[in-house]
Amino acid sequence: MAQWNRRAVIAGALAAPVVSSVARASGEVRIPVIATEEAFATPELMAALDAGPPGMTDAEKAYTSLLRGGTGAAASELTRKLCSIDARLEDMDANGVDMHLLSVTIPGPQAFLPEEGARIARQLNDGLTAIIQAHPTRFAGLAAIAPQNPAAAVREVERAKQLGLNGVIVNSHSFGEYLDEPKFRPILAALEAQDMPLYLHPRSPSQAMVGPYVNFGLSGALWGYGADTSLHLLRMIFAGVFDEFPRLKVVLGHMGEGIPYYFTRVDNRYRNLMARGGEKLGLKPLRQGPSEYFRTNIFITTSGTFSHDVLRYCVDILGAGRILFAIDYPYERSDEAMRFIRTANLSQADAERIAYRNAQELFGIKNRAFPGL
Ligand code: MN
């Protein structure tokens, strides 16, 4: 086991020439960093979200408005960071982050009626492509889609591939509906056919679920986000989505939204229910145990979960090949995330996988950011 911070030097692209020579002289290896759950927005999107679109619950409106403030003069520092490329690059350079894989902030196009949602997704993806073309060594990106408009979402997945985007983000439910619903199968088929990984990102629970989460801010990142997103992924597993689309790849943030901690219980209770006629509850035979889809179809990231103990546990049960570094900028602090990954007790090979190699392979990000490699 090599200490990351003794054996390796991580540096941002800005500092690369200096650090590379230092690294060469001392025999250290420079490990680049790709952060894979990094939120962005446009002022137009923020204004449309502030207008109270129909796909948001009152709890979600209250929570996001507390976090992000209003638009214009009332806009918070967070909103400014979401919308500013200059502020983002400054933060990346100051903290040694080579690349952000950008994705639209919650709830994105999923807050809007089907036609408007599809239009907003197209606009966001055109804007995202322009950002990446202006800074090809610093940014890659996940396309936004509006699943509530399945036909348009399929077209947008195909168009995003043509634009060179690296995958797709879905901010959990769309008007309370999860991706296991049959109406969304064409979207999953398009993701698989285009080899576009799906980042299943949290948002506040749906109207049907949010009731007891309203108090104490529990509907947000404190607990509700993970509760809704873990439910979403489990619904997809138990609906047999990964048997139907065996090459579909799904990424969960926040170290798997708690699910890895429950592997034993989920597998055990699934077997128990199936032995007692679980079909009566809608369960079906799966090709493999529920948790095994985390070895074949599912990846997790470190966003917002900067704990060495949790990372150790996830490396032990999943392997470093399934784990990607993420910050969750600007909702989380880059310095905290970088201190966490720099001081993690990982082998050189595992550190490289988690810091950037897995992201390069999964999202088709070439070595363009790292001329020294
Ligand atoms: Mn996030």
Side-chain angles (χ1 to χ4, degrees):
M1 282 292 188
Q3 287 287 340
W4 172 297
N5 55 342
R6 289 186 55 212
R7 293 270 302 154
V9 176
I10 314 171
L14 191 72
V18 176
V19 174
S20 292
S21 60
V22 171
R24 268 196 299 279
S26 63
E28 287 175 321
V29 180
R30 176 179 174 273
I31 299 180
V33 172
I34 300 176
T36 56
E37 188 198 302
E38 314 314 322
F40 85 102
T42 61
E44 296 75 25
L45 174 69
M46 298 311 281
L49 289 173
D50 286 341
M56 293 175 78
T57 65
D58 288 345
E60 187 170 37
K61 287 173 192 166
Y63 181 85
T64 52
S65 125
L66 181 76
L67 278 190
R68 305 196 290 219
T71 49
S76 67
E77 175 77 2
L78 193 70
T79 294
R80 194 183 66 81
K81 285 182 174 178
L82 281 168
C83 297
S84 167
I85 293 300
D86 289 344
R88 182 182 301 271
L89 284 167
E90 198 175 306
D91 181 275
M92 292 165 70
D93 291 339
N95 292 289
V97 180
D98 291 85
M99 179 179 268
H100 275 190
L101 178 68
L102 299 171
S103 51
V104 66
T105 199
I106 53 169
Q110 292 164 259
F112 303 91
L113 293 173
E115 203 165 313
E116 194 184 3
R119 181 182 62 76
I120 289 173
R122 286 193 299 273
Q123 273 181 355
L124 284 167
N125 295 335
D126 288 339
L128 179 55
T129 303
I131 292 169
I132 295 167
Q133 283 171 353
H135 305 275
T137 64
R138 309 305 302 276
F139 299 122
L142 301 176
I145 60 172
Q148 65 273 31
N149 187 338
V154 167
R155 288 195 296 275
E156 198 58 16
V157 169
E158 293 165 351
R159 199 177 75 91
K161 186 73 176 187
Q162 296 303 313
L163 289 172
L165 294 175
N166 305 85
V168 167
I169 185 152
V170 167
N171 289 304
S172 200
H173 65 87
S174 304
F175 286 83
E177 291 187 302
Y178 298 94
L179 290 173
D180 61 281
E181 295 289 343
K183 68 195 273 189
F184 298 128
R185 285 294 195 280
I187 301 175
L188 303 181
L191 290 167
E192 187 189 52
Q194 300 295 327
D195 194 23
M196 291 286 259
L198 168 68
Y199 203 118
L200 191 62
H201 185 277
R203 68 179 287 194
S204 188
S206 67
Q207 192 64 56
M209 177 176 174
V210 77
Y213 290 87
V214 168
N215 303 100
F216 316 119
L218 280 163
S219 68
L222 186 57
W223 197 257
Y225 285 10
D228 180 76
T229 312
S230 56
L231 172 71
H232 196 154
L233 192 274
L234 289 171
R235 288 184 61 106
M236 292 174 74
I237 289 176
F238 289 119
V241 155
F242 297 107
D243 291 348
E244 196 174 333
F245 304 104
R247 288 175 290 110
L248 177 64
K249 298 180 184 110
V250 175
V251 186
L252 289 178
H254 314 97
M255 294 290 196
E257 307 294 357
I259 299 175
Y261 193 76
Y262 287 89
F263 275 178
T264 309
R265 183 154 172 81
V266 170
D267 288 349
N268 180 25
R269 287 299 101 185
Y270 170 70
R271 276 196 304 272
N272 183 280
L273 279 172
M274 288 306 282
R276 292 163 182 268
E279 286 88 349
K280 293 192 195 80
L281 303 179
L283 275 175
K284 56 168 75 175
L286 296 173
R287 196 175 293 168
Q288 56 196 46
S291 74
E292 289 175 48
Y293 294 98
F294 279 75
R295 299 186 185 286
T296 54
N297 300 86
I298 298 160
F299 296 79
I300 70 170
T301 81
T302 66
S303 57
T305 312
F306 310 132
S307 157
H308 288 156
D309 291 332
V310 177
L311 178 64
R312 184 76 258 154
Y313 171 72
C314 288
V315 169
D316 283 348
I317 61 166
L318 296 172
R322 311 305 292 191
I323 304 170
L324 290 72
F325 177 68
I327 300 168
D328 208 353
Y329 177 93
Y331 297 98
E332 299 283 347
R333 294 176 57 105
S334 305
D335 57 347
E336 199 181 323
M338 288 301 291
R339 190 163 52 248
F340 153 76
I341 197 64
R342 275 190 176 120
T343 56
N345 187 13
L346 295 164
S347 70
Q348 181 78 27
D350 284 356
E352 289 182 356
R353 285 189 187 97
I354 293 170
Y356 76 102
R357 282 196 199 281
N358 292 337
Q360 282 187 320
E361 283 169 26
L362 179 61
F363 295 110
I365 299 169
K366 307 295 180 258
N367 273 348
R368 65 189 182 191
F370 318 121
L373 295 180

